């Protein structure tokens, strides 16, 4: 299924599992939706694990892992 511009990654329940002055680890649930072809619906569900690091005074994504419950 081609999602194109109709695909949306909806993140929910983002939780910081650990954090210090330079790093943080965040977990969030994913619900991937699409309205491609005129019909809306859930395409996939899963979770993200995001590792953040401080760089230049800002937090930036250092690692991003996506685990899905189903293939699409």
């Amino acid at each position: 299924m081609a999602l194109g511009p109709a695909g949306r990654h909806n993140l929910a329940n983002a939780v910081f599992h650990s954090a210090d002055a330079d790093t943080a680890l965040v977990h969030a649930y994913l619900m991937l939706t699409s309205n491609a072809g005129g019909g809306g619906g859930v395409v996939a569900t899963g979770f993200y694990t995001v590792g953040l690091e401080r760089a230049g005074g800002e937090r930036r994504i250092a690692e991003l892992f996506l685990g899905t419950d189903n293939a699409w």
Side-chain angles (χ1 to χ4, degrees), residues 23-39:
T23 63
L25 181 64
V26 179
H27 293 182
Y29 289 110
L30 162 73
M31 182 173 59
L32 178 61
T33 60
S34 176
N35 65 357

